[in-house]
Amino acid sequence: MNYDAAVRYLLTLGRELAAPTQAAAAKFDLENIAILAERLGRPDRAYPSAHIAGTNGKGSTAAFLESILRRAGFRTGLYTSPHLERINERLRVNGEEIADESFAAIFTRLQAVIEELLAAHKLRAHPTYFECVTAMAFECFARERVEFGVFEVGLGGRLDATNILSPAVTVITRIDFDHENFLGHSLKEIAREKAGILKPEVPVILAEQRPEAHEVILARAKELRCPVIETARAFQITQESSQKGLFRARVTEQSSGDSFDIAPSLSGRFQLQNALNAVAVARCLATRGFRISASDIMEGISKTAWPGRLEKLQSRPDVYLDGAHNPGAARELAQFLGQNFAGCKIWLVYGALRDKAVDEVADQLFPHAAEVIFTEPRTSRAISAPRLAEIASHHASSFTVISSAEQALDHALAQAAPNDAIFITGSLYLVGQLRHYWKQREQVAAR
């Protein structure tokens, strides 16, 4: 099977998430992925790994950690989701996306195994899109002989396909409300799902949490005898400064007194917390025999790239991409706007999916915008632009409805003055679509 055929086949397996109305009937468990991994020879156990769950910041934390490990000389595997432009982004070896040929070869092998297991009645149903891609990541990293794998949870934790890992360390980033139809409608319920990645006696790095989530995670860690490293207590941040939305700080480890100057190349103060999560993992691994120096940590953080999260595309007018798709992420973006764009005219190109807390996100973001342009990403899960305006326009001082995302961006660029700022946000699907369109515009302009 060639690359295009492999991707088409994966897409026939359906969306990664059921519609909210289907959530109650959807079957989520680890049976399929466990059977697949066993038949493949447990490729997930061919290398040590870190397993990262949370509502916001888990992708950035994973990217920071992978960069640190690569700087330390480890051959790395990084598995994240969703992708922005191409599915290959989800599987990276030593910082590089998997090649189309390798993707096709691994999927062809996986599909043959799936057909064999189905014929033998060892699988009750064909594995889902996410289960297949997760199995591909396990297999890819084993084939590529990676020396450390970094895995981001797709949804929740307890029943996520990545949760058959036996990691060297687990991480839980900040927990907030998202995917409530799947994970629960209280922070305690959501935290219980995220804490499902904890493994007996495996250390857990815990970002600062709200009290309800904190209590649940600590109780689970105690039950499993997991050493807990709480970043807010284990490290002290001093000498913090910022310039043009980029933050840097001196971080001191309380137990050793060692200090690190961290300067993420990713915008927003919240990236200091995500970087600190990765620092904590690196220090934890160092105590367990992994050779990771202070310079590896500092250089790894400063060199980390993570597209689509407060990613600046141009100046005059400033154009940013940011997938702020839930209330927690919207609060972080609103803080960034307040700190760096006060008094500036902001254009918000906004699209959202049906399972998102649109009213809460709009309440956070729209007061900062002079003009909101309602649009929609190209996915069946999107809210139509007119419907989105019906739901959220009361939060906007002025708004326009342009269903085509590309036309919405063109409109903002045509109307914005050089000192204005344009933010594309609300959905990672929208961010990925317009990031791809931006590259096409640049190619046309360069001809």
Side-chain angles (χ1 to χ4, degrees):
M1 194 178 292
N2 65 25
Y3 173 78
D4 290 336
V7 173
R8 279 198 303 271
Y9 191 97
L10 278 166
L11 292 174
T12 68
L13 300 178
R15 300 185 298 276
E16 291 181 84
L17 296 177
T21 53
Q22 298 171 318
K27 175 182 175 291
F28 298 105
D29 60 33
L30 301 178
E31 181 181 308
N32 272 354
I33 190 67
I35 291 169
L36 266 184
E38 196 65 43
R39 176 62 184 81
L40 290 168
R42 293 312 301 245
D44 53 301
R45 295 185 179 172
Y47 37 81
S49 61
H51 197 195
I52 304 172
T55 306
N56 294 312
K58 60 184 186 292
S60 298
T61 296
F64 282 126
L65 177 58
E66 185 278 333
S67 183
I68 290 169
L69 290 165
R70 187 155 32 97
R71 297 285 159 182
F74 294 94
R75 183 169 174 79
T76 60
L78 176 63
Y79 178 57
T80 58
S81 61
H83 59 273
L84 295 180
E85 298 176 62
R86 300 181 78 232
I87 193 171
N88 305 48
E89 297 167 26
R90 298 175 181 230
L91 285 72
R92 297 175 186 262
V93 175
N94 253 14
E96 299 295 327
E97 294 175 14
I98 183 174
D100 290 357
E101 297 78 11
S102 296
F103 187 100
I106 292 170
F107 181 75
T108 300
R109 157 75 172 143
L110 178 68
Q111 184 58 18
V113 167
I114 289 171
E115 288 175 356
E116 172 199 312
L117 292 170
L118 286 169
H121 306 290
K122 292 182 179 178
L123 286 175
R124 284 187 285 170
H126 195 293
T128 65
Y129 175 102
F130 188 74
E131 287 169 335
C132 286
V133 180
T134 301
M136 289 177 67
F138 293 153
E139 179 73 4
C140 171
F141 296 166
R143 288 188 183 199
E144 293 287 341
R145 300 187 183 280
V146 307
E147 296 166 306
F148 203 101
V150 179
F151 290 85
E152 177 192 4
V153 165
L155 172 68
R158 182 174 63 93
L159 299 177
D160 189 78
T162 59
N163 202 29
I164 64 167
L165 286 166
S166 295
V169 60
T170 57
V171 186
I172 299 183
T173 65
R174 183 82 169 172
I175 292 174
D176 212 314
F177 289 98
D178 201 6
H179 300 303
E180 290 95 324
N181 287 297
F182 297 89
L183 305 179
H185 293 272
S186 71
L187 280 181
K188 282 191 173 185
E189 289 177 303
I190 295 170
R192 197 169 293 117
E193 292 299 315
K194 308 286 186 186
I197 71 164
L198 271 58
K199 302 294 186 296
E201 300 182 5
V202 173
V204 55
I205 308 302
L206 183 60
E208 191 170 6
Q209 304 289 342
R210 296 191 196 179
E212 312 96 288
H214 185 256
E215 177 187 346
V216 169
I217 297 165
L218 286 189
R220 182 61 175 159
K222 182 178 180 182
E223 183 182 336
L224 295 175
R225 304 179 306 284
C226 302
V228 179
I229 301 166
E230 298 189 58
T231 56
R233 297 183 180 183
F235 296 88
Q236 182 182 13
I237 295 179
T238 58
Q239 300 179 26
E240 183 181 318
S241 62
S242 66
Q243 186 175 16
K244 296 181 179 179
L246 294 172
F247 283 75
R248 62 184 306 136
R250 169 68 61 87
V251 172
T252 302
E253 188 177 41
Q254 302 287 56
S255 61
S256 67
D258 293 342
S259 293
F260 311 88
D261 291 313
I262 61 173
S265 57
L266 308 181
S267 297
R269 189 183 184 281
F270 57 92
Q271 293 295 2
L272 282 180
Q273 177 61 64
N274 296 330
L276 190 57
N277 295 334
V279 173
V281 177
R283 294 297 284 176
C284 176
L285 291 173
T287 65
R288 285 161 171 76
F290 292 86
R291 285 198 282 275
I292 305 170
S293 69
S295 63
D296 295 330
I297 291 171
M298 292 185 285
E299 286 182 36
I301 287 171
S302 69
K303 301 295 185 184
T304 300
W306 193 233
R309 284 73 172 180
L310 278 176
E311 179 184 7
K312 189 174 182 180
L313 299 180
Q314 75 163 38
S315 300
R316 298 186 61 79
D318 289 349
V319 179
Y320 282 85
L321 297 167
D322 188 64
H325 59 281
N326 59 43
R331 279 193 296 273
E332 300 289 4
L333 176 55
Q335 185 179 47
F336 180 79
L337 295 174
Q339 290 173 340
N340 298 282
F341 290 90
C344 175
K345 183 174 182 179
I346 293 172
W347 300 74
L348 214 60
V349 179
Y350 181 76
L353 305 188
R354 288 194 302 273
D355 60 340
K356 298 301 178 181
V358 169
D359 199 57
E360 291 179 66
V361 170
D363 184 48
Q364 296 281 342
L365 295 181
F366 290 10
H368 294 274
E371 179 80 19
V372 176
I373 304 172
F374 290 104
T375 190
E376 58 196 72
R378 252 190 318 273
T379 169
S380 57
R381 292 173 57 205
I383 304 174
S384 73
R387 177 60 182 146
L388 191 57
E390 287 178 18
I391 295 169
S393 62
H394 64 282
H395 291 290
S397 57
S398 177
F399 71 92
T400 308
V401 178
I402 304 177
S403 294
S404 164
E406 290 79 5
Q407 289 177 20
L409 176 56
D410 286 342
H411 175 79
L413 288 166
Q415 298 295 317
N419 291 328
D420 294 353
I422 300 168
F423 283 80
I424 300 157
T425 190
S427 165
L428 280 169
Y429 287 88
L430 179 68
V431 164
Q433 183 177 328
L434 291 184
R435 190 172 192 269
H436 181 70
Y437 177 61
W438 185 268
K439 290 179 182 177
Q440 291 179 323
R441 291 176 86 257
E442 288 188 321
Q443 289 170 359
V444 170
R447 288 174 188 163

